[in-house]
C-alpha cells in the first residue's frame, strides 16, 4: 500500500459547486497533515494544515478522520481560480511524504 | 513569494551528462530539502541538508549528491543523467526538520529535461 493515496482525477466541476477530495494514509502514527495547492509547472504552496479533527479557512475545510486514516479537503463555491492540483502530505523523518495529487478543473 | 530561489529555471541535458542545480534558502532557514517531481507524480524526497551535512536520504542512487554551504544555500548534483531523471526539481527550506511547527517553503523549481 502506498504511504499516501489520492484519486488523480481530474475532477471537473462547474463554478459555484462544492467539491471534496480524500487522501488516505498508511502511517497511523502521523499527527499532522497538509494540503498543498500546485498550479501547472509551479511549486507546491501550502493551503492548509490539519492536526486535530479539522481546520477551516474561508471556502476551504480540511478534516481528519484518524479511525479510517484519511483526510479530506472540501471546497465550497468553487472559483475558476481554484483550478489546480491539490497534494496531500504528512511529515515523516526529515521529509514530507506526498500523494500524487488530485487535479481540479473548475468550468465556467 | 517564499524567498527561496533556484537556478536555473530550465535545463536541457543529454544522457550521460552531469548537472548541478542551485538553491538559496529563505533568510534564517538552516535546513534545505530536495525533492524530485516527475510528471503526474507528487514530490519525492531526495535528501536533506542541515548545517552542511546530509541529514536524511530518500530512495535515490549515489549519483544524486549534494552540498550545503555555510550560508545554507545548497546544490544538487546528478551524474550520468538518465532519461528518467527528467523532472521538476524542488528545493524547500525550513528552520530545522520540517513539520507542523516548522513549515517548509518551496522554491520555484528547476525543470530538467534529459534527451
Amino acid at each position: 500500500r502506498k504511504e499516501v493515496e489520492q484519486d488523480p482525477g481530474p475532477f471537473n466541476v462547474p463554478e459555484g459547486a462544492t467539491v471534496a477530495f480524500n487522501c488516505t494514509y498508511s502511517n497511523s502514527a502521523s499527527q499532522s497533515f497538509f494540503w498543498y495547492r500546485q498550479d501547472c509547472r509551479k511549486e507546491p504552496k501550502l493551503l492548509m494544515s490539519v492536526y486535530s479533527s479539522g481546520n477551516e479557512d474561508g471556502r476551504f475545510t480540511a478534516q481528519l478522520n484518524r479511525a479510517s486514516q484519511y483526510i479530506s479537503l472540501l471546497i465550497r463555491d468553487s472559483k475558476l481560480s481554484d483550478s489546480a492540483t491539490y497534494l496531500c502530505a504528512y511529515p515523516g523523518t526529515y521529509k514530507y511524504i506526498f500523494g500524487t495529487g488530485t487535479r481540479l478543473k473548475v468550468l465556467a | 513569494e517564499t524567498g527561496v530561489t533556484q537556478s536555473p529555471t530550465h535545463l536541457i541535458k543529454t544522457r550521460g551528462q552531469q548537472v548541478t542545480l542551485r538553491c538559496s534558502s529563505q533568510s534564517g532557514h538552516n535546513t534545505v530539502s530536495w525533492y524530485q517531481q516527475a510528471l503526474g507524480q507528487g514530490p519525492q524526497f531526495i535528501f536533506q541538508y542541515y548545517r552542511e551535512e546530509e541529514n536524511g536520504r530518500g530512495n535515490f542512487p549515489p549519483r544524486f549528491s549534494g552540498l550545503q554551504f555555510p550560508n545554507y544555500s545548497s546544490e544538487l548534483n546528478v551524474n550520468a543523467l538518465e532519461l528518467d531523471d527528467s523532472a521538476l526539481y524542488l528545493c524547500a527550506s525550513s528552520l530545522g526538520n520540517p513539520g507542523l511547527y516548522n513549515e517548509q517553503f518551496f522554491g520555484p523549481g528547476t525543470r530538467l529535461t534529459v534527451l
Side-chain angles (χ1 to χ4, degrees):
Chain A
R1 182 181 175 184
K2 287 185 180 178
E3 292 180 279
V4 182
E5 293 199 67
Q6 294 184 254
D7 181 341
F11 284 58
N12 296 322
V13 302
E15 264 188 298
T18 295
V19 62
F21 316 129
N22 282 345
C23 168
T24 59
Y25 61 93
S26 60
N27 186 349
S28 60
S30 302
Q31 296 294 311
S32 56
F33 301 86
F34 305 93
W35 282 104
Y36 279 82
R37 172 196 169 122
Q38 186 172 28
D39 292 299
C40 187
R41 306 177 79 84
K42 300 281 191 180
E43 74 274 23
K45 294 187 178 175
L46 182 65
L47 181 64
M48 298 184 76
S49 306
V50 189
Y51 56 91
S52 58
S53 59
N55 192 9
E56 184 171 328
D57 183 3
R59 298 183 294 110
F60 298 84
T61 301
Q63 293 203 309
L64 168 60
N65 184 315
R66 291 192 189 278
S68 300
Q69 293 186 210
Y70 74 87
I71 59 171
S72 62
L73 178 67
L74 181 79
I75 305 175
R76 290 178 296 277
D77 189 22
S78 299
K79 311 290 185 193
L80 293 176
S81 57
D82 294 333
S83 297
T85 295
Y86 292 84
L87 298 158
C88 67
Y90 68 85
T93 306
Y94 308 122
K95 62 186 179 183
Y96 277 19
I97 300 165
F98 285 88
T100 56
T102 297
R103 280 183 61 202
L104 171 66
K105 291 184 180 180
V106 181
L107 308 172
Chain B
E1 298 300 324
T2 63
V4 181
T5 62
Q6 291 186 244
S7 63
T9 54
H10 296 87
L11 203 51
I12 300 175
K13 292 284 189 178
T14 56
R15 274 187 305 175
Q17 285 189 310
Q18 178 266 341
V19 69
T20 297
L21 311 182
R22 295 179 176 83
C23 170
S24 290
S25 59
Q26 182 168 309
S27 178
H29 283 183
N30 57 13
T31 303
V32 172
S33 304
W34 286 93
Y35 291 81
Q36 179 197 66
Q37 187 176 21
L39 197 62
Q41 302 297 315
Q44 297 294 310
F45 176 73
I46 302 174
F47 41 55
Q48 180 192 90
Y49 277 85
Y50 172 69
R51 293 187 175 180
E52 303 177 56
E53 302 260 340
E54 187 179 291
N55 199 33
R57 189 177 183 94
N59 189 24
F60 281 81
R63 58 190 186 82
F64 286 78
S65 63
L67 285 174
Q68 187 179 34
F69 301 98
N71 66 355
Y72 304 130
S73 66
S74 178
E75 284 183 356
L76 163 65
N77 299 291
V78 187
N79 293 322
L81 284 166
E82 300 177 0
L83 296 179
D84 284 350
D85 296 333
S86 296
L88 179 68
Y89 287 84
L90 295 160
C91 160
S93 80
S94 56
L95 184 60
N97 265 328
L100 179 62
Y101 302 109
N102 289 323
E103 184 180 344
Q104 67 176 357
F105 295 89
F106 284 93
T110 293
R111 187 162 298 278
L112 173 65
T113 302
V114 182
L115 303 176

